[in-house]
Amino acid sequence: METLPTLDAHAHLAPSRTPTELASSGAVLAMTVSLDEANLGVARREPWVAWGVGCHPRNLRAQQAFDPDRFGELVERAAFAGEIGLDKGSRVPLELQLRTFRRALRVLAGRPRMVSIHSYDATGLVLEELKRTRVAVPVLHWWTGNVTETWEAVALGARFSIHSAVARQSKFRTSVPLDRLLIESDHGYSDPPAAIPCRVEWVEHLVAQQRGLSVEQIRLLVWRNLGRTLGEAGALGLLPPLVAAAAREVCSDASAAPASPFTRETGRG
Ligand SMILES: [Zn+2]
């Protein structure tokens, strides 16, 4: 592979975006906030964009309309689930959020799916639910947990998708293991998808500086983390073929890094 594209583990893209608009977004795991949106997303076939199935804890209508059977049917057709989770700052009553989150986790338990989980201001509650109902690959988005909570999350098999605000926290810098790291833009609907690589690169720079690595090493690392994580879970083949192929190539290159022009530039291996 000549150049490894950016890998965005959490962004929001309108399913109405045209293939041309998505052509230069890099590899993206596109979250959905409601089952209606997910229904549109999972029907799409993009070379570099995978669509998840979500029910956002800040979206009252989506939370009220959540149906676990429909969620399960959509998850069967999707590469991953997200965005689901809890948020104590949301106007959606916490009781309703908890009910939806628990039902979603029960559907996901035992299925080979990565799950992007919103945890803002609700880290302890999210961990409690994940202990009660284990899912294959929990990926914590907007993680603000303390060091002890982060270790608890690691013990539960969690990965952490980091955007710039999270990257600036010292707790993240010191306590999230490198092999659990993913990078995200948390891009919004109104921003152009072509801006995603710039936003991901900015987070790559932040994390690279904090961890004493090069930007190229961080990019390789997150691709390898995705490939290994989903490979172990049996979920790599669910991703769009080009994304799965890039992840496999990076993982198989791990023992022969100089074979890739991208890695040779960085001096790895
Ligand atoms: Zn999000």
Side-chain angles (χ1 to χ4, degrees), residues 162-170 172-173 202-203 206-207 210:
I162 305 295
H163 58 55
S164 55
V166 173
R168 294 188 190 102
Q169 291 182 45
S170 60
F172 146 72
R173 265 176 252 169
W202 168 233
V203 187
L206 286 171
V207 175
Q210 291 161 356

Side-chain angles (χ1 to χ4, degrees), residues 49-103:
V49 180
W51 300 82
V53 183
C55 185
H56 200 284
R58 282 179 169 269
N59 188 318
L60 181 61
R61 282 180 64 178
Q63 291 276 327
Q64 287 168 334
F66 183 79
D67 172 357
D69 293 335
R70 189 173 181 221
F71 179 72
E73 284 162 19
L74 289 165
V75 165
E76 272 308 302
R77 297 163 56 201
F80 67 95
E83 171 175 7
I84 61 171
L86 301 172
D87 187 327
K88 279 192 193 157
S90 169
R91 71 192 172 103
V92 178
L94 191 57
E95 202 177 310
L96 176 57
Q97 292 183 48
L98 268 169
R99 176 177 149 90
T100 302
F101 189 44
R102 286 174 179 158
R103 293 164 103 192

Side-chain angles (χ1 to χ4, degrees), residues 10-12 31 33 56 83 118 141-142 184 186-187:
H10 186 116
H12 294 274
M31 303 295 136
V33 299
H56 200 284
E83 171 175 7
H118 183 103
H141 158 73
W142 249 123
E184 58 160 82
D186 203 15
H187 203 67

Side-chain angles (χ1 to χ4, degrees), residues 76-231:
E76 272 308 302
R77 297 163 56 201
F80 67 95
E83 171 175 7
I84 61 171
L86 301 172
D87 187 327
K88 279 192 193 157
S90 169
R91 71 192 172 103
V92 178
L94 191 57
E95 202 177 310
L96 176 57
Q97 292 183 48
L98 268 169
R99 176 177 149 90
T100 302
F101 189 44
R102 286 174 179 158
R103 293 164 103 192
L105 290 179
R106 277 200 293 273
V107 169
L108 291 164
R111 297 197 199 204
R113 290 293 185 283
M114 178 177 146
V115 188
S116 191
I117 299 171
H118 183 103
S119 60
Y120 186 73
D121 202 17
T123 49
L125 278 179
V126 164
L127 287 177
E128 244 175 68
E129 297 306 320
L130 288 177
K131 281 178 199 159
R132 192 173 297 154
T133 311
R134 303 293 289 264
V135 295
V137 185
V139 179
L140 296 167
H141 158 73
W142 249 123
W143 181 248
T144 54
N146 61 32
V147 174
T148 307
E149 287 174 325
T150 302
W151 289 342
E152 279 179 45
V154 168
L156 291 166
R159 271 65 180 169
F160 302 82
S161 62
I162 305 295
H163 58 55
S164 55
V166 173
R168 294 188 190 102
Q169 291 182 45
S170 60
K171 283 174 289 192
F172 146 72
R173 265 176 252 169
T174 51
S175 57
V176 172
L178 274 178
D179 65 352
R180 300 300 183 95
L181 188 75
L182 294 169
I183 280 179
E184 58 160 82
S185 66
D186 203 15
H187 203 67
Y189 292 102
S190 50
D191 296 325
I196 286 178
C198 301
R199 295 185 66 165
V200 171
E201 281 167 20
W202 168 233
V203 187
E204 288 173 345
H205 276 275
L206 286 171
V207 175
Q209 192 203 24
Q210 291 161 356
R211 297 299 180 110
L213 295 168
S214 70
V215 168
E216 292 79 5
Q217 285 172 319
I218 290 292
R219 187 169 305 177
L220 265 178
L221 180 80
V222 297
W223 269 103
R224 199 167 286 156
N225 287 347
L226 182 85
R228 286 189 178 150
T229 301
L230 295 192

